[in-house]
Amino acid sequence: MKKSELTLDILFQKVFEKHWDTARFNASGHAKEVARLYSSKIHPSFGEKPAAEITRHHVRDWHESMKHTPIEANRALVILSATYQKALELEFIETQNPCIFVKHFTEKRRNRYASEVEIGKLFASLMGLKEEEPLAAVLLLTVLFTGARPQSLWKLSWDNLRGGRITFHGKGSSKNGEPEVLIVSKEIVDMWRSLPKRSDSLIFGKVMYQP
């Protein structure tokens, strides 16, 4: 079959096998998501058409038809564009990428919070890391359970720990420049005490943030 006669379905399958059907993308679940988006969003409109005959006008109209689901539309556009780009790199086709200059929809920012299962897995991973990298593990556990900004933690000093509260001062210690107070549990304090002793009163120290 000539390159100009390849349908988009055939082209996608060739690209999928070479690019997405790999250990990395299969392990992350990305390959499955690519296949789902292609099957549900791209195949119905373009699958049986010769890939070389799909124009920017076709792609723009197709993308616009999904304006009520902008996030899915944008993800599908990314997959379609990547299919053409990889096909060109692999010399499966010689046509241009018809997705170029097709604008994505503006997406509203969505807050996403970790589930209890995800937090549990993260906690287990950090506890496993604690033996090899105690400073990094305890730092991240402190972030996880206090919500503190990592760049602020180097200011923490034993001198400012009073019961379950620790205060730290200085420029940038909070967004408005005011002193910041962390409420910490006994478990967190016990983890701090398990860290290697420093020559100063800091718990973590600025050295943590040097490249």
Side-chain angles (χ1 to χ4, degrees), residues 67-121:
K67 62 184 178 183
H68 297 300
T69 54
I71 295 175
E72 284 272 286
N74 288 344
R75 301 299 178 270
L77 180 60
V78 167
I79 298 305
L80 183 58
S81 182
T83 298
Y84 273 94
Q85 193 59 41
K86 291 298 177 183
L88 285 165
E89 292 175 11
L90 296 167
E91 299 183 346
F92 292 153
I93 56 172
E94 296 173 352
T95 187
Q96 292 184 344
N97 184 345
C99 301
I100 295 175
F101 302 124
V102 176
K103 293 183 179 180
H104 288 219
F105 294 119
T106 300
E107 298 179 16
K108 293 182 180 180
R109 180 175 294 182
R110 298 182 299 172
N111 292 326
R112 196 230 188 235
Y113 302 97
S115 67
E116 290 186 9
V117 172
E118 290 171 328
I119 291 174
K121 288 181 178 179

Side-chain angles (χ1 to χ4, degrees), residues 157-174:
S157 170
W158 289 112
D159 296 338
N160 295 326
L161 179 63
R162 298 289 184 275
R165 298 163 62 91
I166 186 166
T167 304
F168 46 105
H169 303 263
K171 184 178 179 181
S173 62
S174 68

Side-chain angles (χ1 to χ4, degrees), residues 127-199:
M127 291 303 290
L129 178 67
K130 194 168 176 286
E131 292 296 322
E132 298 180 7
E133 298 288 346
L135 207 57
V138 173
L139 174 79
L140 293 173
L141 284 165
T142 302
V143 170
L144 179 64
F145 289 106
T146 67
R149 294 183 300 281
Q151 65 268 29
S152 298
L153 293 182
W154 71 268
K155 303 172 186 292
L156 296 184
S157 170
W158 289 112
D159 296 338
N160 295 326
L161 179 63
R162 298 289 184 275
R165 298 163 62 91
I166 186 166
T167 304
F168 46 105
H169 303 263
K171 184 178 179 181
S173 62
S174 68
K175 291 182 178 179
N176 59 11
E178 296 296 321
E180 189 163 351
V181 178
L182 286 182
I183 307 299
V184 293
S185 66
K186 179 180 180 299
E187 289 75 15
I188 290 291
V189 175
D190 286 345
M191 283 194 289
W192 291 351
R193 295 191 189 283
S194 72
L195 293 172
K197 304 300 181 184
R198 294 176 54 89
S199 59

